[in-house]
Amino acid sequence: MRVGVPKEVKIHEYRVGLVPGSVRELVLHGHEVVVESGAGAAIGFPDAAYIEAGARIAPDAATVFDQAELIVKVKEPQPFEWARLKPHHVLFTYLHLAPDPAQTKGLMDSGCAAIAYETVTDAQGGLPLLAPMSEVAGRMAIQVGARCLEKEAGGAGILLSGVPGVPPGRVVIIGGGVVGSNAARIANGMRANVTVLDRSARVLQALDIEFNGLVDTVFATRDAVERAVLDADLVIGAVLVPGAAAPRLVARETVARMRPGSVMVDVAIDQGGCFETSRPTTHAEPTYVVDGVVHYCVTNMPGAVARTSAVALNNATLPFTLQIADKGWRRAAAENEHLAAGVNVQAGGVAHPAVAAALGLPHSPLGA
């Protein structure tokens, strides 16, 4: 199969769909790989590294789309990329379609098969292609939140760790999954006062054991979330419903009652956000203020640490990329139910039930 890697085009997105090591594996499997010139240059993967791995360099993205069957990206395609997709294409990337009807329609109209990293599953019920970026985003959430709490960044001027004689900052994390647990590890390591809220007693118990009681765990009722948020210096939104839009867990009225200079980091923004006051931002302009509260809602947070993120993502995606290339997407999905769960759009229909439900579209299951 001919595999194509275009350069990412979102603002300040420097990750790349395939790093040279992954290209070499595909070539060893007998596939041809065409990479847009400069696709990995910003993170230390020059064209020469791709050539050495066995790839062919294309002068532009249009050439990649014209020549490839399988397109491997990182972020969702932009409108001008939808127009380049054809029925013979397989797109393998993050899509986050539930809050994005325009992109969904663009993919449906193209006739391509679109497989989303974020809905591929594993035998343990996890999301293995979302997990590495969730780990990065969770750890980054505390890093960027601490920066936003600095006075010149619009925050209240609070040091999360505190100092002797001054108490540490209060961090509230809504959701104890991969994002939330990684955020808790960094916040706890910084000696902040940390509270994690979740609706799963199993998750709360695991966190209590991991942190030996040093992190407070609270069952996430609406009342508990509201009280915790109003007492927080930094709030991390870390909830996820696979394939569906994120639930709005913090009301606009609650934000208005928070202390001025507090910070909210919405890691769920890719799925629409879990704060009512959230709206997508970019690395170019990452924050805005509502009722005195600083909001950080960047939709591609891991792009800020692009080299680490690209390698971590490839570690997870490569086995699935090889399956698609070796067998074709239909056979690969038929033989691997976890890959099949990643198929969001195919033949002009929505194949993932949660995406269809979120957008009010008919569900067209695979094989129907």
Side-chain angles (χ1 to χ4, degrees), residues 9-23:
V9 293
K10 286 197 78 169
I11 296 174
H12 290 299
E13 179 55 77
Y14 305 110
R15 289 174 291 180
V16 63
L18 293 175
V19 299
S22 297
V23 169

Side-chain angles (χ1 to χ4, degrees), residues 35-85:
V35 178
E36 182 181 355
S37 180
I43 54 173
F45 299 127
D47 290 352
Y50 284 102
I51 293 171
E52 184 178 354
R56 181 165 53 83
I57 302 300
D60 50 41
T63 303
V64 173
F65 279 83
D66 285 345
Q67 297 184 357
E69 302 161 80
L70 170 59
I71 304 292
V72 182
K73 281 175 46 63
V74 178
K75 291 302 294 179
E76 70 279 358
Q78 301 303 295
F80 66 89
E81 293 177 303
W82 309 340
R84 290 174 174 160
L85 291 166

Side-chain angles (χ1 to χ4, degrees), residues 10-11 76 99-100 248 266 268-283 285-288 295-300:
K10 286 197 78 169
I11 296 174
E76 70 279 358
D100 195 344
R248 295 299 181 99
D266 196 341
I269 193 64
D270 275 328
Q271 294 293 112
C274 61
F275 311 140
E276 282 193 350
T277 47
S278 293
R279 58 175 173 81
T281 62
T282 69
H283 288 296
E285 295 184 43
T287 64
Y288 60 93
H295 290 58
Y296 180 102
C297 303
V298 174
T299 55
N300 59 331

